[in-house]
Amino acid sequence: MENNEIMIHVDRMSHVYMDENGNDVKALDDVSVDIHKGEFVCIIGTNGSGKSTLAKHFNVLLTPSEGTITVCGLDTSDEDNVWDIRQHIGMVFQNPDNQIVAAVVEEDVAFGPENLGVPSVEIRQRVDEALAAVNMTDYAEHAPHLLSGGQKQRIAIAGVLAMKPDCIVLDEPTAMLDPKGRQEVLETVHKLNREEGITIVYITHFMEEAVTADRIVVMKNGKKLQEGDPHTIFSQVETLKDLGLDVPVAAEVAVKLAKKGVKLLPQVITNQELGDALCR
């Protein structure tokens, strides 16, 4: 769905904060990156690489110490733009329990639009559409605390969706989930990107999730090391391992087989590709 229209433009941006001892810490260092409308971008890096700090700038939870970020042409450093930017960019965090505020699922999804002053007839429609989009319509009248982790996270996504953002930033949304819940959330987010055209910025430390993106941005010590499509990034198995990052199992197996003299097509990174290459 990607087109050339830039939704988020990060230009030589640094972010400095003060630690508990009063020392300046550079969490982001001279980062430049563009997110295009309709794109699905994954940001990966080890803990402390700056990926979550970067994400918080997209929604103006943080502002740059140096450099600029514009979202839909609006400068995040201008306080007058904060409300408008947050209409465009929705955030989903790691722990869905921190985002769910109501005792009934449909009331929780309605919370955002109510705060935006959306008329009640339209709120009903938005809630129904958002729950349908994340395949949770049957749970509209359930209590959120009785749901599984994956279901809760889909409700948190529905709550953001009901506010009709153009872009959703997800900060390690599957970190607390089991494999089934991870799969549910990833499929939901891809569906929103594919069918609704919503731009997705997805931060993860699960490389099997990152493989499914249009483009990957690799962070290390607050710097952007590189970016490219999944095949370009994940075929560099040794480089990523030196950074302390995992790589998809298929990519690692392919590299080991190649070293043993098994002739495979270059840039095998998914289980499907590995299976196809070996069956030849």
Side-chain angles (χ1 to χ4, degrees), residues 141-254:
E141 294 175 9
H142 282 56
H145 71 273
L146 298 176
L147 301 176
S148 72
Q151 290 169 329
K152 283 182 185 175
Q153 196 59 288
R154 279 148 65 196
I155 295 302
I157 293 169
V160 170
L161 262 186
M163 294 188 281
K164 300 246 181 232
D166 305 305
C167 172
I168 300 178
V169 179
L170 301 102
D171 188 1
E172 303 215 21
T174 63
M176 303 180 71
L177 305 182
D178 61 14
K180 180 174 180 287
R182 293 212 300 269
Q183 190 61 33
E184 285 174 7
V185 170
L186 187 65
E187 284 174 2
T188 298
V189 174
H190 271 290
K191 181 177 168 223
L192 296 174
N193 174 249
R194 191 174 58 245
E195 295 177 10
E196 315 270 339
I198 293 174
T199 306
I200 301 292
V201 179
Y202 195 96
I203 292 165
T204 184
H205 60 266
F206 295 114
M207 298 305 131
E208 276 71 18
E209 295 179 346
V211 161
T212 66
D214 298 325
R215 185 158 56 94
I216 294 172
V217 175
V218 184
M219 301 283 295
K220 162 112 184 188
N221 295 340
K223 291 180 182 287
K224 182 186 86 177
L225 277 194
Q226 51 179 298
E227 60 182 309
D229 65 80
H231 284 96
T232 303
I233 298 297
F234 285 126
S235 53
Q236 306 171 53
V237 171
E238 302 298 333
T239 308
L240 292 175
K241 287 205 157 262
D242 288 345
L243 290 175
L245 288 170
D246 285 333
V247 292
V249 172
E252 192 165 4
V253 170

Side-chain angles (χ1 to χ4, degrees), residues 2-280:
E2 181 197 342
N3 65 28
N4 287 327
E5 187 182 334
I6 293 173
M7 179 170 272
I8 301 171
H9 176 57
V10 182
D11 186 27
R12 307 212 56 181
M13 194 270 286
S14 297
H15 183 81
V16 180
Y17 70 92
M18 193 178 286
D19 68 11
E20 60 270 18
N21 300 320
N23 301 314
D24 283 348
V25 177
K26 207 165 205 180
L28 292 170
D29 187 2
D30 199 30
V31 175
S32 296
V33 69
D34 288 332
I35 310 290
H36 297 92
K37 198 171 174 22
E39 199 176 18
F40 192 121
V41 179
C42 256
I43 303 177
I44 64 172
T46 54
N47 288 341
S49 62
K51 55 191 190 298
S52 290
T53 305
L54 180 60
K56 290 188 175 95
H57 281 78
F58 297 162
N59 179 263
V60 211
L61 292 172
L62 297 172
T63 52
S65 306
E66 297 167 26
T68 57
I69 295 188
T70 52
V71 175
C72 299
L74 301 166
D75 188 338
T76 64
S77 297
D78 184 341
E79 285 182 13
D80 293 340
N81 291 335
V82 173
W83 175 254
D84 287 336
I85 288 169
R86 288 184 181 161
Q87 309 289 299
H88 291 290
I89 309 282
M91 288 282 291
V92 175
F93 297 99
Q94 192 175 99
N95 187 348
D97 289 328
N98 294 343
Q99 261 183 288
I100 292 174
V101 294
V104 179
V105 163
E106 62 184 7
E107 289 174 9
D108 187 79
V109 178
F111 181 78
E114 280 171 357
N115 279 321
L116 295 176
V118 174
S120 51
V121 176
E122 191 184 331
I123 289 176
R124 178 73 261 168
Q125 185 185 346
R126 287 194 188 194
V127 169
D128 291 344
E129 286 174 357
L131 286 172
V134 299
N135 292 334
M136 289 296 284
T137 303
D138 294 347
Y139 297 87
E141 294 175 9
H142 282 56
H145 71 273
L146 298 176
L147 301 176
S148 72
Q151 290 169 329
K152 283 182 185 175
Q153 196 59 288
R154 279 148 65 196
I155 295 302
I157 293 169
V160 170
L161 262 186
M163 294 188 281
K164 300 246 181 232
D166 305 305
C167 172
I168 300 178
V169 179
L170 301 102
D171 188 1
E172 303 215 21
T174 63
M176 303 180 71
L177 305 182
D178 61 14
K180 180 174 180 287
R182 293 212 300 269
Q183 190 61 33
E184 285 174 7
V185 170
L186 187 65
E187 284 174 2
T188 298
V189 174
H190 271 290
K191 181 177 168 223
L192 296 174
N193 174 249
R194 191 174 58 245
E195 295 177 10
E196 315 270 339
I198 293 174
T199 306
I200 301 292
V201 179
Y202 195 96
I203 292 165
T204 184
H205 60 266
F206 295 114
M207 298 305 131
E208 276 71 18
E209 295 179 346
V211 161
T212 66
D214 298 325
R215 185 158 56 94
I216 294 172
V217 175
V218 184
M219 301 283 295
K220 162 112 184 188
N221 295 340
K223 291 180 182 287
K224 182 186 86 177
L225 277 194
Q226 51 179 298
E227 60 182 309
D229 65 80
H231 284 96
T232 303
I233 298 297
F234 285 126
S235 53
Q236 306 171 53
V237 171
E238 302 298 333
T239 308
L240 292 175
K241 287 205 157 262
D242 288 345
L243 290 175
L245 288 170
D246 285 333
V247 292
V249 172
E252 192 165 4
V253 170
V255 166
K256 286 181 174 169
L257 287 171
K259 282 181 179 169
K260 298 271 192 218
V262 179
K263 285 194 165 53
L264 296 175
L265 292 171
Q267 298 193 338
V268 169
I269 62 168
T270 67
N271 294 345
Q272 180 72 44
E273 289 168 352
L274 182 61
D276 291 348
L278 290 172
C279 287
R280 283 194 177 85

